Amino acid sequence: MESLMQKIALSLLLAAGLAQADCTFSQPSNLDVSWTAYKTPLKIGVGGHFNTADFKAASVKADTLSALLSGSTVNIAVASVDSKNKGRDEKLLNDFFKQMAGPDIKAKIVKLEEKSGIATVSVTMNGVTRDVPMKYSFSNGKLRADGVIDLIDFKAQNALKSINTACYDLHQGKTWSDVNIGFTMDVKATCSK
Protein backbone atom coordinates (compact mmCIF):
# COMPACT_ATOMS: atom_id res chain seq x y z
CA MET A 1 0.00 0.00 0.00
CA GLU A 2 2.83 2.37 0.86
CA SER A 3 4.46 1.66 -2.51
CA LEU A 4 1.21 2.53 -4.33
CA MET A 5 0.91 5.79 -2.37
CA GLN A 6 4.51 6.65 -3.24
CA LYS A 7 3.83 6.02 -6.95
CA ILE A 8 0.70 8.21 -6.84
CA ALA A 9 2.58 10.99 -5.04
CA LEU A 10 5.46 10.80 -7.55
CA SER A 11 3.01 10.88 -10.48
CA LEU A 12 1.26 13.94 -9.02
CA LEU A 13 4.59 15.72 -8.54
CA LEU A 14 5.59 14.88 -12.12
CA ALA A 15 2.23 16.10 -13.46
CA ALA A 16 2.50 19.31 -11.41
CA GLY A 17 6.06 19.85 -12.66
CA LEU A 18 4.98 19.32 -16.26
CA ALA A 19 2.03 21.66 -15.79
CA GLN A 20 4.40 24.43 -14.63
CA ALA A 21 6.88 23.81 -17.46
CA ASP A 22 6.21 25.00 -21.01
CA CYS A 23 4.87 21.70 -22.35
CA THR A 24 2.73 20.49 -25.20
CA PHE A 25 0.80 17.25 -24.80
CA SER A 26 -0.31 15.12 -27.73
CA GLN A 27 -1.99 11.75 -28.15
CA PRO A 28 -2.27 9.21 -30.97
CA SER A 29 -5.96 8.46 -30.18
CA ASN A 30 -5.42 5.04 -28.66
CA LEU A 31 -7.11 3.70 -25.54
CA ASP A 32 -7.22 0.38 -23.71
CA VAL A 33 -10.20 -0.21 -21.39
CA SER A 34 -9.81 -2.80 -18.63
CA TRP A 35 -12.03 -4.18 -15.87
CA THR A 36 -11.92 -6.47 -12.84
CA ALA A 37 -15.12 -8.05 -11.54
CA TYR A 38 -15.42 -10.12 -8.36
CA LYS A 39 -16.87 -13.52 -7.49
CA THR A 40 -17.24 -15.84 -4.47
CA PRO A 41 -17.56 -14.79 -0.82
CA LEU A 42 -13.75 -14.35 -0.80
CA LYS A 43 -14.10 -11.68 -3.53
CA ILE A 44 -11.78 -13.25 -6.07
CA GLY A 45 -11.04 -10.91 -8.97
CA VAL A 46 -11.54 -11.84 -12.63
CA GLY A 47 -10.14 -9.34 -15.08
CA GLY A 48 -10.04 -8.54 -18.74
CA HIS A 49 -10.48 -5.76 -21.25
CA PHE A 50 -12.45 -4.86 -24.37
CA ASN A 51 -10.82 -5.48 -27.74
CA THR A 52 -12.91 -2.77 -29.41
CA ALA A 53 -13.02 0.68 -27.81
CA ASP A 54 -13.65 3.40 -30.38
CA PHE A 55 -11.84 6.42 -28.93
CA LYS A 56 -12.48 9.94 -30.25
CA ALA A 57 -9.98 12.52 -29.03
CA ALA A 58 -11.39 15.97 -28.33
CA SER A 59 -7.95 17.48 -29.03
CA VAL A 60 -4.85 16.12 -30.69
CA LYS A 61 -2.51 18.62 -28.99
CA ALA A 62 -2.85 20.95 -25.97
CA ASP A 63 -0.87 22.79 -23.27
CA THR A 64 -2.27 20.71 -20.37
CA LEU A 65 -3.46 17.14 -19.87
CA SER A 66 -6.89 18.46 -18.93
CA ALA A 67 -7.19 20.52 -22.12
CA LEU A 68 -5.97 17.54 -24.15
CA LEU A 69 -8.36 14.96 -22.74
CA SER A 70 -11.50 16.79 -21.53
CA GLY A 71 -14.36 16.06 -23.92
CA SER A 72 -12.79 12.90 -25.40
CA THR A 73 -15.23 10.01 -25.80
CA VAL A 74 -15.12 6.26 -26.13
CA ASN A 75 -17.70 3.78 -27.39
CA ILE A 76 -16.99 0.32 -25.97
CA ALA A 77 -18.34 -2.66 -27.92
CA VAL A 78 -19.40 -5.10 -25.18
CA ALA A 79 -19.30 -7.98 -27.70
CA SER A 80 -15.51 -7.55 -27.70
CA VAL A 81 -15.19 -8.49 -24.01
CA ASP A 82 -11.98 -10.48 -23.51
CA SER A 83 -11.13 -12.26 -20.25
CA LYS A 84 -8.75 -14.75 -21.96
CA ASN A 85 -11.40 -17.46 -21.47
CA LYS A 86 -13.79 -18.03 -24.40
CA GLY A 87 -16.47 -19.79 -22.32
CA ARG A 88 -16.44 -17.02 -19.72
CA ASP A 89 -16.61 -14.35 -22.43
CA GLU A 90 -19.71 -16.00 -23.94
CA LYS A 91 -21.41 -16.02 -20.53
CA LEU A 92 -20.43 -12.41 -19.89
CA LEU A 93 -21.89 -11.38 -23.24
CA ASN A 94 -25.09 -13.46 -23.15
CA ASP A 95 -25.85 -13.64 -19.44
CA PHE A 96 -24.70 -10.16 -18.45
CA PHE A 97 -24.28 -7.56 -21.18
CA LYS A 98 -27.21 -8.75 -23.31
CA GLN A 99 -29.44 -8.47 -20.22
CA MET A 100 -28.99 -4.69 -20.26
CA ALA A 101 -30.40 -1.96 -22.50
CA GLY A 102 -28.19 -0.89 -25.38
CA PRO A 103 -25.43 -2.74 -27.19
CA ASP A 104 -22.49 -0.64 -25.95
CA ILE A 105 -21.00 1.29 -23.06
CA LYS A 106 -20.26 4.95 -23.69
CA ALA A 107 -17.93 7.18 -21.71
CA LYS A 108 -16.74 10.78 -21.85
CA ILE A 109 -13.85 12.38 -19.99
CA VAL A 110 -15.52 15.36 -18.35
CA LYS A 111 -12.41 16.85 -16.71
CA LEU A 112 -9.03 16.12 -15.19
CA GLU A 113 -8.03 17.88 -12.00
CA GLU A 114 -4.27 17.99 -12.32
CA LYS A 115 -3.57 19.02 -8.71
CA SER A 116 -5.63 16.21 -7.15
CA GLY A 117 -5.00 13.57 -9.84
CA ILE A 118 -8.73 12.89 -10.19
CA ALA A 119 -10.46 12.48 -13.53
CA THR A 120 -14.25 12.68 -13.81
CA VAL A 121 -15.61 10.29 -16.44
CA SER A 122 -19.26 10.20 -17.44
CA VAL A 123 -20.24 6.54 -18.05
CA THR A 124 -23.46 5.47 -19.78
CA MET A 125 -24.48 1.82 -19.38
CA ASN A 126 -27.90 0.17 -19.35
CA GLY A 127 -29.49 3.51 -20.26
CA VAL A 128 -28.12 5.16 -17.10
CA THR A 129 -25.42 7.85 -16.99
CA ARG A 130 -23.25 8.41 -13.91
CA ASP A 131 -20.14 10.52 -13.27
CA VAL A 132 -17.34 8.26 -12.03
CA PRO A 133 -14.27 9.68 -10.23
CA MET A 134 -11.06 7.97 -11.32
CA LYS A 135 -7.56 8.39 -9.90
CA TYR A 136 -5.06 8.93 -12.68
CA SER A 137 -1.31 9.08 -13.05
CA PHE A 138 0.98 10.09 -15.90
CA SER A 139 4.47 8.65 -16.18
CA ASN A 140 6.85 7.62 -18.97
CA GLY A 141 4.41 8.62 -21.69
CA LYS A 142 1.53 6.56 -20.25
CA LEU A 143 -1.63 7.89 -18.65
CA ARG A 144 -3.46 5.40 -16.44
CA ALA A 145 -6.82 5.97 -14.72
CA ASP A 146 -8.59 3.64 -12.27
CA GLY A 147 -11.99 3.81 -10.63
CA VAL A 148 -14.87 1.72 -9.31
CA ILE A 149 -18.46 1.45 -10.49
CA ASP A 150 -21.36 -0.17 -8.66
CA LEU A 151 -23.68 -2.02 -11.04
CA ILE A 152 -26.62 -1.12 -8.79
CA ASP A 153 -26.02 2.56 -9.67
CA PHE A 154 -26.61 1.59 -13.32
CA LYS A 155 -29.82 -0.32 -12.48
CA ALA A 156 -28.13 -3.54 -13.61
CA GLN A 157 -29.56 -5.78 -10.86
CA ASN A 158 -31.23 -8.07 -13.43
CA ALA A 159 -27.98 -8.50 -15.37
CA LEU A 160 -26.10 -9.15 -12.13
CA LYS A 161 -28.69 -11.74 -11.07
CA SER A 162 -28.50 -13.36 -14.53
CA ILE A 163 -24.70 -13.80 -14.48
CA ASN A 164 -24.82 -15.00 -10.87
CA THR A 165 -27.39 -17.66 -11.82
CA ALA A 166 -25.41 -18.72 -14.91
CA CYS A 167 -22.21 -19.04 -12.87
CA TYR A 168 -23.75 -20.01 -9.53
CA ASP A 169 -21.43 -22.92 -8.72
CA LEU A 170 -18.25 -21.20 -9.97
CA HIS A 171 -19.14 -18.03 -8.05
CA GLN A 172 -20.27 -19.99 -4.97
CA GLY A 173 -23.53 -18.07 -5.14
CA LYS A 174 -21.87 -14.63 -4.91
CA THR A 175 -21.25 -12.14 -7.71
CA TRP A 176 -20.27 -8.70 -6.43
CA SER A 177 -21.85 -5.50 -7.75
CA ASP A 178 -18.68 -3.40 -7.62
CA VAL A 179 -16.36 -3.54 -10.63
CA ASN A 180 -12.95 -1.92 -10.95
CA ILE A 181 -12.56 -0.10 -14.26
CA GLY A 182 -9.53 1.48 -15.85
CA PHE A 183 -8.04 2.85 -19.01
CA THR A 184 -4.54 3.49 -20.33
CA MET A 185 -3.36 5.59 -23.23
CA ASP A 186 -0.13 6.91 -24.68
CA VAL A 187 0.41 10.65 -24.21
CA LYS A 188 3.50 12.45 -25.46
CA ALA A 189 4.81 15.43 -23.49
CA THR A 190 7.16 17.81 -25.30
CA CYS A 191 8.62 20.36 -22.89
CA SER A 192 10.93 23.28 -23.59
CA LYS A 193 13.80 23.90 -21.18
Side-chain angles (χ1 to χ4, degrees):
M1 183 70 171
E2 187 174 314
S3 161
L4 176 63
M5 294 305 292
Q6 289 172 342
K7 286 180 183 177
I8 290 171
L10 183 61
S11 295
L12 289 174
L13 286 173
L14 177 62
L18 288 173
Q20 291 175 356
D22 187 15
C23 297
T24 301
F25 297 92
S26 58
Q27 61 182 358
S29 294
N30 69 326
L31 183 77
D32 182 65
V33 178
S34 60
W35 52 269
T36 302
Y38 298 95
K39 63 181 184 178
T40 80
L42 292 176
K43 205 170 188 180
I44 296 171
V46 176
H49 71 118
F50 294 96
N51 291 323
T52 304
D54 183 21
F55 180 70
K56 300 275 191 244
S59 301
V60 177
K61 192 181 286 189
D63 293 338
T64 65
L65 283 171
S66 182
L68 179 72
L69 298 174
S70 294
S72 296
T73 61
V74 63
N75 189 66
I76 302 162
V78 297
S80 72
V81 66
D82 184 0
S83 67
K84 305 297 184 209
N85 180 311
K86 188 175 178 181
R88 180 189 298 132
D89 294 342
E90 288 174 1
K91 283 186 178 181
L92 284 168
L93 180 59
N94 295 316
D95 297 307
F96 181 70
F97 288 116
K98 286 189 176 179
Q99 305 305 311
M100 291 191 280
D104 298 325
I105 299 169
K106 299 180 187 308
K108 178 179 181 180
I109 299 173
V110 177
K111 64 180 175 179
L112 275 82
E113 297 174 11
E114 295 187 28
K115 287 184 180 179
S116 67
I118 302 293
T120 301
V121 179
S122 176
V123 176
T124 302
M125 180 172 64
N126 197 34
V128 177
T129 301
R130 294 279 185 265
D131 282 351
V132 178
M134 301 181 75
K135 292 180 182 176
Y136 78 89
S137 61
F138 176 63
S139 179
N140 298 321
K142 289 274 186 196
L143 185 133
R144 169 86 194 168
D146 294 288
V148 178
I149 61 170
D150 188 332
L151 297 172
I152 305 305
D153 292 339
F154 292 89
K155 299 182 180 176
Q157 293 94 321
N158 289 339
L160 186 63
K161 183 178 179 182
S162 173
I163 192 70
N164 190 56
T165 300
C167 303
Y168 193 85
D169 290 338
L170 287 171
H171 291 199
Q172 298 174 22
K174 179 66 176 175
T175 307
W176 296 77
S177 67
D178 54 323
V179 178
N180 287 11
I181 58 170
F183 67 85
T184 56
M185 64 169 59
D186 295 323
V187 175
K188 183 178 179 183
T190 306
C191 302
S192 60
K193 295 182 179 182

